[in-house]
Amino acid sequence: AQTVTQSQPEMSVQEAETVTLSCTYDTSESDYYLFWYKQPPSRQMILVIRQEAYKQQNATENRFSVNFQKAAKSFSLKISDSQLGDAAMYFCAYRSGNSGNTPLVFGKGTRLSVIA
Amino acid sequence: GAGVSQSPSNKVTEKGKDVELRCDPISGHTALYWYRQSLGQGLEFLIYFQGNSAPDKSGLPSDRFSAERTGGSVSTLTIQRTQQEDSAVYLCASSSHGGATYNEQFFGPGTRLTVL
């Protein structure tokens, strides 16, 4: 079974600074997807960024980028120019690529605080 | 268009009572997922429906938990004889029909269940 580990229960960052959230995973599959989700206090899960395992290029979405190290099974999220609205729980998630729809496997999350 | 909706937003019940949680997926989405988020934990997969196929119930924690999806749309998660450890946020997600391609899961705002 696949597992996802987030070793940082809490992180904080100064506004406008950069922060990196860590995630490692374990799988024997070669085809899979990795995701970072944001969950603000409203509880609404919001997809931040995704990475296909077959792509070597790291995904980027505006201020959010990932460092995907497939051999090391590491998938970290970098948030640049942090904003107060970035404060939330961040979850790393894995999904098998064997079919178009399979459940997500989540880590336990990292609570990010942004200090003004 | 409308996103995934869930009702009720919050539910308080007494130990031993049965509860029903409802999920309205995005119109046209064939896949529907239920996840549970306990305090301080990541999201835990419960059950997954894909079109007319038999649901994947592998994540249900006990036989007190069941779910159905009527007409390929609305889903109801039922917890019988609730226990205090059932207290959690129950999240529903839906996605469009897949094949070998990625299909984003869109989440509802969740139902917070408190068992006294």
Side-chain angles (χ1 to χ4, degrees):
Chain A
Q2 295 80 28
T3 59
V4 176
T5 302
Q6 292 179 250
S7 59
Q8 305 155 316
E10 297 183 352
M11 291 283 284
S12 62
V13 62
Q14 292 280 348
E15 195 175 6
E17 297 295 311
T18 295
V19 64
T20 298
L21 307 184
S22 301
C23 173
T24 59
Y25 60 95
D26 189 26
T27 184
S28 59
E29 298 177 331
S30 58
D31 184 19
Y32 52 87
Y33 299 93
L34 295 165
F35 308 87
W36 280 97
Y37 279 87
K38 171 184 178 181
Q39 187 183 43
S42 67
R43 301 198 303 247
Q44 189 78 49
M45 296 286 284
I46 302 165
L47 179 63
V48 174
I49 198 166
R50 78 168 188 266
Q51 175 80 42
E52 291 88 343
Y54 64 85
K55 291 186 177 179
Q56 293 186 336
Q57 186 173 7
N58 289 324
T60 299
E61 288 288 341
N62 300 314
R63 298 183 295 106
F64 299 87
S65 61
V66 298
N67 183 2
F68 174 46
Q69 301 290 326
K70 191 172 184 178
K73 296 180 181 175
S74 171
F75 182 62
S76 61
L77 175 70
K78 185 171 80 171
I79 306 174
S80 304
D81 185 25
S82 297
Q83 301 175 359
L84 294 178
D86 295 334
M89 283 291 291
Y90 285 82
F91 292 96
C92 180
Y94 170 102
R95 209 203 82 200
S96 172
N98 291 335
S99 70
N101 286 314
T102 52
L104 294 163
V105 178
F106 287 88
K108 292 187 177 182
T110 296
R111 182 176 302 280
L112 178 66
S113 302
V114 180
I115 303 165
Chain B
V4 177
S5 61
Q6 293 186 244
S7 60
S9 178
N10 292 281
K11 176 71 175 178
V12 180
T13 191
E14 295 180 347
K15 178 181 173 181
K17 300 284 190 182
D18 297 352
V19 295
E20 288 188 349
L21 312 180
R22 176 186 170 106
C23 172
D24 284 86
I26 293 172
S27 178
H29 279 189
T30 58
L32 186 147
Y33 313 79
W34 283 97
Y35 296 90
R36 178 170 70 175
Q37 184 177 17
S38 302
L39 186 63
Q41 302 294 316
L43 279 71
E44 168 193 19
F45 163 69
L46 296 177
I47 188 169
Y48 155 54
F49 297 88
Q50 172 61 65
N52 295 322
S53 302
D56 177 355
K57 304 179 182 180
S58 60
L60 295 179
S62 78
D63 58 8
R64 296 186 295 105
F65 287 72
S66 63
E68 63 177 18
R69 189 177 184 191
T70 55
S73 180
V74 172
S75 177
T76 302
L77 176 69
T78 301
I79 308 173
Q80 295 180 310
R81 306 181 301 281
T82 52
Q83 303 295 313
Q84 289 183 332
E85 59 263 29
D86 299 334
S87 296
V89 174
Y90 290 82
L91 289 156
C92 174
S94 70
S95 64
S96 60
H97 177 70
T101 57
Y102 163 73
N103 292 289
E104 180 179 348
Q105 293 185 22
F106 294 85
F107 283 81
T111 294
R112 180 179 297 281
L113 175 66
T114 302
V115 182
L116 301 177

